[in-house]
Amino acid sequence: MKLIYGTLFFLSLFSASAQINIMHFAEAAKKGFTYRKLDSLYRGQRLFYEGTREEYVKEENALLRRKSQIARKIFGIRTDPAAITYHLYTGKTGKFEYLLYEIRGRISPQSEKELIDSLRILLDNYRFGVKIVSSHVSSHFLNLGLIRTIPKGDSVISSLEAALSTTRPDTVKILALNQLELTKVPDVIYRFSNMKELNLSFNELKNVSIDITRLPKLQQIWLNSNQLTDGKLQLPKNKTLRILNIQGNQFTNIPAAVKNCRRLKSLWMGYNNLTALNNRSFTKMRRLQDINLYSCGLKSIPKGIVKMRRLEVLDVYYNELSTLPSSLSRMRKLQQLALSHNQLTQLPNNLGKLKNLQTLYMHHNRLAQLPNSIGKLKSLQILDIGYNQFSTLPNQIAYLQRVEEIDMSYNNLSEVPAPIPHLRQLKKVYLRENPVAQDLQLRERSKSIVQVLEGNDIQVSY
């Protein structure tokens, strides 16, 4: 109790100051003022802001961009990576009160001081656009300077200077202008008529118009992590583009420009807030084979998704899905279905119609049963149902004759499901953190099944 009162008194002394208190983890620990103590005091049980999640995320991303700009300005482009890990503590008024940090990598004391002083000025003067109603703590990782990821080779150009000065633009296959803080698409891109890949990711682009007809061999465009919004992506009708990455922007729907890419195979739209997605969103995309809707705030999948009849990969990780449309079963070419980290409580009864499905990821949901049609997935090789609420599995599991790996970790299984030994191609079984894995008596009841599995050289992991 004395320790708690002492800590609270310590906090009150710091809170009396108008400025944020910034300390290295080691410095704070020497004072008996660790980040763990702060975390326990600032980590509340209720939501700490008023308004929508989208409003807060937009506000948080804006602040993160400001901090990234500061780091880039101080450290520039680096060949040796360095980063700052920090815990940021916000009071009930929305004012930042403490920042505890640690530097990873080598930087000079002068650069560290300049960084901390700049962050102090930014955070002392920052005001949230949403109302803060409770104190809270958040953890962050920020690269110090720009560590660019660019391909290597004679056919690659990775700077505007080189793009303007080269005397052999016809030899360039990849133009990598990523992470250059560009605010518009440079006209120099049209020098490279043989270019196959254009990378404009991690810039500051708010409006993009690319005349693909002037780039007849262009197959890939990377525009991820910019600031594009609905209507701000312009691409003319073309039959050349195969891959389009527009993740991490501010789209609410699939852009109309995507429909102009008649032979597009892969579309990556993760980390957009797709609140306007509807049945019509998937029209004119029949050739698409791979779509990524990772962390897009989806509460449902429109049944119109079935219009993408050639789709082979559907990734909807980290959304808020509680059900799936039954029309999903009509996507007969689907090979990989990634449904993990959602709120699913049931699966469509006709799931077994996906005859070509090879991998099914469903971990981190709220599932307690599988449909009986699961046994009709004759091509299935990997089944991951970990972190759910299964206490039994249907006998139809025994018909999955091509399954090589089943992960049932973190469920409520009190015995190894009886159908498991009947899987002829099985190589790995994961049972971690189930009652059967933790209770010796329960494990003894399944001993004969485990012996059969191990006798067939199947790896069983508890």
Side-chain angles (χ1 to χ4, degrees):
M1 185 64 70
K2 289 182 179 180
L3 178 62
I4 293 176
Y5 284 128
T7 303
L8 291 174
F9 178 71
F10 188 69
L11 290 178
S12 66
L13 290 178
F14 274 103
S15 298
S17 171
Q19 288 187 326
I20 186 171
N21 297 282
I22 301 180
M23 289 181 287
H24 193 279
F25 284 146
E27 177 190 352
K30 287 180 181 179
K31 298 179 179 179
F33 186 54
T34 68
Y35 70 88
R36 289 186 177 86
K37 288 181 182 178
L38 271 180
D39 281 3
S40 66
L41 293 170
Y42 278 79
R43 199 178 297 279
Q45 298 298 317
R46 63 192 183 97
L47 199 62
F48 53 82
Y49 61 90
E50 287 184 353
T52 66
R53 175 180 177 273
E54 289 77 17
E55 290 172 331
Y56 178 75
V57 169
K58 183 179 180 180
E59 187 76 19
E60 188 179 48
N61 287 343
L63 178 58
L64 185 58
R65 281 197 297 272
R66 294 275 297 278
K67 287 183 280 192
S68 296
Q69 289 169 353
I70 288 173
R72 287 184 188 181
K73 183 177 180 181
I74 295 172
F75 295 94
I77 298 177
R78 297 174 58 92
T79 56
D80 55 328
I84 179 173
T85 300
Y86 61 96
H87 290 211
L88 187 59
Y89 302 88
T90 309
K92 292 181 180 180
T93 62
K95 186 174 178 60
F96 298 113
E97 296 181 348
Y98 311 96
L99 186 150
L100 271 58
Y101 74 95
E102 180 180 33
I103 301 291
R104 300 180 182 179
R106 295 182 178 180
I107 64 172
S108 67
Q110 295 83 358
S111 295
E112 180 175 348
K113 183 179 184 304
E114 185 178 354
L115 173 67
I116 297 305
D117 288 346
S118 298
L119 287 177
R120 188 187 306 279
I121 293 171
L122 170 64
L123 297 174
D124 278 342
N125 291 283
Y126 193 83
R127 295 295 178 268
F128 275 97
V130 294
K131 184 178 180 181
I132 303 298
V133 295
S134 177
S135 57
H136 68 283
V137 55
S138 55
S139 302
H140 300 273
F141 179 91
L142 183 67
N143 285 320
L144 301 181
L146 187 62
I147 307 298
R148 293 185 66 203
T149 303
I150 54 177
K152 296 180 180 180
D154 296 335
S155 62
V156 179
I157 280 185
S158 58
S159 71
L160 284 175
E161 294 77 12
L164 289 165
S165 62
T166 180
T167 58
R168 292 297 308 276
D170 57 305
T171 64
V172 176
K173 306 296 186 201
I174 300 175
L175 183 58
L177 302 180
N178 52 306
Q179 298 169 283
L180 296 180
E181 299 185 347
L182 299 178
T183 57
K184 66 177 183 178
V185 178
D187 288 337
V188 73
I189 67 172
Y190 297 111
R191 293 193 68 199
F192 306 99
S193 58
N194 291 324
M195 176 172 56
K196 292 184 177 181
E197 179 180 335
L198 174 61
N199 191 337
L200 294 166
S201 61
F202 292 93
N203 281 297
E204 306 292 332
L205 301 173
K206 295 182 178 180
N207 195 337
V208 168
S209 178
I210 299 174
D211 187 356
I212 300 180
T213 60
R214 297 171 61 185
L215 301 166
K217 296 186 179 180
L218 187 61
Q219 297 181 8
Q220 302 182 29
I221 297 179
W222 303 77
L223 288 165
N224 46 303
S225 299
N226 279 282
Q227 300 176 40
L228 298 173
T229 56
D230 295 331
K232 298 301 183 181
L233 174 61
Q234 319 271 316
L235 300 173
K237 290 182 180 179
N238 68 89
K239 294 182 179 181
T240 56
L241 202 64
R242 298 292 187 269
I243 297 174
L244 179 60
N245 187 338
I246 49 177
Q247 293 189 125
N249 282 282
Q250 299 170 32
F251 295 111
T252 65
N253 203 344
I254 296 175
V258 172
K259 317 298 178 65
N260 287 334
C261 304
R262 299 296 177 84
R263 297 188 179 177
L264 193 68
K265 291 184 177 181
S266 294
L267 174 63
W268 299 329
M269 286 208 65
Y271 301 104
N272 284 285
N273 191 22
L274 300 182
T275 56
L277 202 68
N278 57 65
N279 289 330
R280 295 187 300 275
S281 301
F282 305 102
T283 58
K284 299 181 180 180
M285 295 168 58
R286 293 187 177 182
R287 291 181 180 269
L288 204 66
Q289 297 177 3
D290 173 8
I291 190 168
N292 178 306
L293 302 175
Y294 192 106
S295 189
C296 287
L298 298 179
K299 296 183 178 179
S300 64
I301 297 177
K303 62 181 180 180
I305 196 171
V306 73
K307 294 175 183 177
M308 298 187 292
R309 294 292 177 88
R310 299 186 186 183
L311 202 67
E312 297 177 0
V313 178
L314 174 59
D315 185 343
V316 289
Y317 264 45
Y318 286 100
N319 281 288
E320 301 171 31
L321 303 173
S322 57
T323 59
L324 299 172
S326 59
S327 61
L328 199 68
S329 64
R330 291 157 56 191
M331 303 175 73
R332 302 297 171 82
K333 291 187 178 294
L334 209 58
Q335 296 180 20
Q336 178 173 312
L337 182 55
L339 304 168
S340 301
H341 291 279
N342 277 283
Q343 305 294 323
L344 293 172
T345 57
Q346 62 181 359
L347 298 172
N349 290 328
N350 56 5
L351 186 71
K353 291 184 177 181
L354 299 175
K355 302 295 185 182
N356 290 304
L357 197 64
Q358 297 176 18
T359 56
L360 179 55
Y361 298 110
M362 299 184 292
H363 56 85
H364 290 89
N365 276 285
R366 298 180 180 179
L367 297 166
Q369 60 182 3
L370 294 172
N372 290 334
S373 66
I374 189 78
K376 296 180 180 180
L377 299 177
K378 302 298 185 182
S379 300
L380 197 65
Q381 297 175 21
I382 296 176
L383 175 62
D384 190 338
I385 57 173
Y387 293 86
N388 278 285
Q389 300 169 17
F390 291 101
S391 56
T392 61
L393 296 182
N395 290 331
Q396 286 79 2
I397 287 290
Y399 298 115
L400 301 176
Q401 292 303 311
R402 292 191 180 180
V403 163
E404 297 180 1
E405 183 175 322
I406 295 183
D407 194 335
M408 299 176 283
S409 303
Y410 291 86
N411 276 285
N412 299 320
L413 297 168
S414 57
E415 60 183 4
V416 179
I420 297 298
H422 297 282
L423 302 175
R424 297 175 182 174
Q425 301 297 322
L426 192 61
K427 296 177 181 176
K428 296 180 181 180
V429 177
Y430 297 94
L431 291 163
R432 293 168 298 206
E433 299 300 324
N434 277 281
V436 68
Q438 297 173 312
D439 189 305
L440 292 178
Q441 290 183 339
L442 293 177
R443 191 185 299 187
E444 187 66 24
R445 283 166 44 185
S446 292
K447 184 177 180 179
S448 60
I449 295 179
V450 173
Q451 287 176 339
V452 171
L453 294 173
E454 293 179 340
N456 292 328
D457 293 325
I458 296 172
Q459 177 185 329
V460 182
S461 298
Y462 287 105

